[in-house]
Structures are given as structure tokens and as C-alpha cells.
Amino acid sequence: ALWGDECLLFRDSLKYTLTHFASRRGHLEILKYLYSKGKLLNDKESRFQATPLDLCIALNHMECAHFLIENADQDSLNSALL
């Protein structure tokens, strides 16, 4: 079982993170919370190689996309754009 902030690093069976889920649904407040905890993961390690930023843009959650661009780790953003 996961406890405390450790649960913020959860990945499902397709390797999606909480950042992926919040991005897919356009939940800006959840993204802000994850960022405040240092757990804003913008990576391609999911089964379909989709980053949270990819999901925001594809699903027209532009406010969330802007937040990720402004706040996600620069290295993860660079790899997401390759």
C-alpha cells in the first residue's frame, strides 16, 4: 500500500501517472497540487508514449497545458517535444 506523498507517484497498469489523469480531465487544481508537492511528472513512460502535455493539447485543456509548460521540469518538456 502507498502512504503519504509516496502515493503521488502512483502509476496504473498502462504507466499513467496522476499528472496524466489530471491533464486528461483538465483538472488544473490537481496539477497545481502535484506541483506544490514536487510530483508534477511530464514523461513519456506511459504505454502509448503520451505525455501529460500531449493529453492537455489533444483534449483542448489549454489552461492546463500552459501550466505544464510554465512549471514542469524543463528536461521532461524537452524530451516530450522530441
Side-chain angles (χ1 to χ4, degrees):
L2 298 173
W3 302 100
D5 286 351
E6 192 178 315
C7 68
L8 299 177
L9 296 174
F10 170 80
R11 288 183 184 270
D12 71 0
S13 62
L14 298 177
K15 305 270 186 195
Y16 283 112
T17 65
L18 295 178
T19 307
H20 283 95
F21 289 110
S23 296
R24 189 172 68 198
R25 297 290 185 194
H27 293 301
L28 182 59
E29 291 304 314
I30 294 173
L31 292 175
K32 287 179 179 179
Y33 177 77
L34 293 169
Y35 176 73
S36 76
K37 294 293 190 175
K39 308 297 183 193
L40 192 65
L41 302 174
N42 191 53
D43 63 31
K44 289 187 188 183
E45 295 196 21
S46 64
R47 179 175 177 197
F48 300 106
Q49 300 293 301
T51 67
L53 180 58
D54 294 333
L55 296 172
C56 287
I57 292 168
L59 297 167
N60 202 31
H61 299 306
M62 292 303 134
E63 195 172 2
C64 291
H66 288 287
F67 181 80
L68 287 175
I69 290 167
E70 292 173 5
N71 296 290
D73 175 288
Q74 192 61 45
D75 290 334
S76 69
L77 283 177
N78 289 339
S79 69
L81 297 173
L82 296 176

